[in-house]
Amino acid sequence: MNIILLGPPGAGKGTQARILEENRGMVQLSTGDMLREAKDSGTEMGKIVADVMARGDLVTDEIVIGLIREKLETVKVNGFIFDGFPRTLAQADALGKLLADEGQTLDKVIELRVDDDVLVQRITARSTCGSCGEVYNDLTKPIPEDGKCVKCGGTEFKRRADDNEDSLRTRLMAYYKQTSPLIGYYYAQGKHSSVDGLGEIAEIQSAIAGQLDA
Ligand code: AMP
């Protein structure tokens, strides 16, 4: 089963994708993670996207579609969770074609619905383990007092450069202008459903499981 987790920055897509990986053996494909890796390792492409990402604007369709194409051609698994991709209608069309080329389909699109007010709060409070990527939140899931990641025991934690109020505003605007039309796009294909993204992580997890097993 291939699915998309759709929602604004801070909706919890990454957290839920990681849970689905653990529970269902699916594989998360996050274009944001791939772009950050390229940026951190200083590749040509990483240099091109660095400023755009810091501002919170979208990088070109060509770049992200290329990243996803490469993964779909080389990684063979039970199911992909697309996280942060597609973000434009052109990317959504491209994903449909790429999956068809691999003899696969897109099965479900789950939208995580949240209030904009909580996004700022969540985003400015979040950090991740530098080793395994486990997501923490100062308010709801703080880093353990012993300073060790609950998943891997790692002791380095990082905050994203674009997790500040200015970038978030641009990222939210990009979401509403360019990404939210995908809700209608997938609704018309009979693939869209939504869950309340405001509750506890475990509640949201079971709501998503309910949608996937429906
Ligand atoms: P994310 O980790 O999904 O919040 O993505 C971080 C940043 O990477 C975004 O603000 C964009 O600058 C860029 N990005 C990630 N995925 C995409 C995408 N599918 N299309 C365009 N830009 C993207």
Side-chain angles (χ1 to χ4, degrees):
M1 182 185 273
N2 296 305
I3 67 165
I4 294 173
L5 292 182
L6 191 65
K13 303 184 295 291
T15 301
Q16 294 298 332
R18 292 175 64 84
I19 294 173
L20 288 170
E21 281 197 314
E22 268 175 35
N23 293 354
R24 297 182 181 239
M26 299 171 82
V27 168
Q28 173 192 25
L29 290 185
S30 156
T31 39
D33 285 348
M34 294 176 212
L35 292 167
R36 273 184 293 279
E37 261 169 47
K39 192 165 64 88
D40 292 347
S41 53
T43 64
E44 267 320 296
M45 190 256 281
K47 287 180 197 152
I48 295 170
V49 300
D51 286 345
V52 182
M53 289 178 74
R55 279 200 309 273
D57 286 322
L58 296 187
V59 310
T60 64
D61 289 335
E62 198 189 350
I63 288 180
V64 287
I65 291 166
L67 289 170
I68 291 289
R69 178 185 295 117
E70 197 184 314
K71 291 285 179 190
L72 292 185
E73 284 172 359
T74 53
V75 182
K76 302 293 166 201
V77 288
N78 257 340
F80 288 109
I81 308 151
F82 296 97
D83 161 10
F85 180 92
R87 263 174 155 99
T88 64
L89 291 167
Q91 291 176 24
D93 280 339
L95 177 61
K97 291 200 186 85
L98 289 173
L99 285 170
D101 288 348
E102 296 296 317
Q104 297 201 49
T105 51
L106 176 68
D107 300 289
K108 299 201 179 193
V109 177
I110 298 183
E111 180 196 354
L112 293 172
R113 277 184 290 100
V114 280
D115 288 343
D116 291 345
D117 290 349
V118 302
L119 296 176
V120 178
Q121 213 181 24
R122 279 195 186 173
I123 287 228
T124 49
R126 83 173 164 187
S127 57
T128 53
C129 170
S131 312
C132 74
E134 183 70 2
V135 184
Y136 292 91
N137 182 293
D138 300 340
L139 308 169
T140 55
K141 186 183 164 191
I143 294 163
E145 278 182 9
D146 65 3
K148 290 191 182 146
C149 173
V150 289
K151 273 279 145 56
C152 73
T155 53
E156 301 262 317
F157 299 89
K158 46 186 189 183
R159 289 190 193 265
R160 279 171 50 169
D162 60 349
D163 275 352
N164 60 70
E165 278 198 58
D166 275 353
S167 297
L168 176 62
R169 243 175 275 286
T170 310
R171 287 155 71 199
L172 260 186
M173 191 56 83
Y175 179 77
Y176 287 115
K177 281 170 82 169
Q178 292 165 277
T179 309
S180 64
L182 299 185
I183 296 169
Y185 176 97
Y186 287 119
Y187 176 80
Q189 292 182 16
K191 292 179 176 165
H192 171 268
S193 60
S194 65
V195 301
D196 182 354
L198 278 179
E200 297 288 321
I201 290 173
E203 283 168 9
I204 302 165
Q205 176 196 342
S206 66
I208 292 175
Q211 297 287 357
L212 295 184
D213 298 332

